[in-house]
Amino acid sequence: MPNIKSAIKRVKTNKKANVANSSAKSAMRTAVKKAEQAIASGADNAQELVIQATKALDKAVSKGIIHKNAASRKKSRLAKKLAQAN
């Protein structure tokens, strides 16, 4: 543990940010996974789940959790899977 007051504060804020970022990243991954499973199973709500996954990816980019190109690539692959399923 650091001795300097500002360093102690940074440790606390980093821990808080880590929890928030982990939570947001997990939610994003869950949304993407649900969409992929819906596409694979041919569910009726696959289109809606892809839209939700896209929103989750965009939100992760805006919060700086993932890179914009990574989100773009994931969205593109989801859209491609959806198009092939139909």
Side-chain angles (χ1 to χ4, degrees), residues 28-62:
M28 177 204 66
R29 285 181 179 153
T30 302
V32 171
K33 211 174 276 187
K34 278 184 182 178
E36 286 176 342
Q37 287 173 347
I39 292 168
S41 67
D44 296 336
N45 64 345
Q47 179 82 34
E48 293 172 28
L49 290 172
V50 168
I51 291 169
Q52 286 177 1
T54 302
K55 283 182 182 178
L57 287 163
D58 289 336
K59 198 170 187 181
V61 169
S62 70

Side-chain angles (χ1 to χ4, degrees), residues 3-17:
N3 295 323
I4 298 166
K5 190 174 185 179
S6 61
I8 292 169
K9 187 174 181 181
R10 282 309 309 161
V11 167
K12 288 179 184 177
T13 57
N14 285 342
K15 203 177 283 185
K16 206 177 205 180

Side-chain angles (χ1 to χ4, degrees), residues 1 14 19 24 31 45 56 67 74 79:
M1 191 69 182
N14 285 342
V19 169
N45 64 345
H67 194 272
K74 289 176 189 288

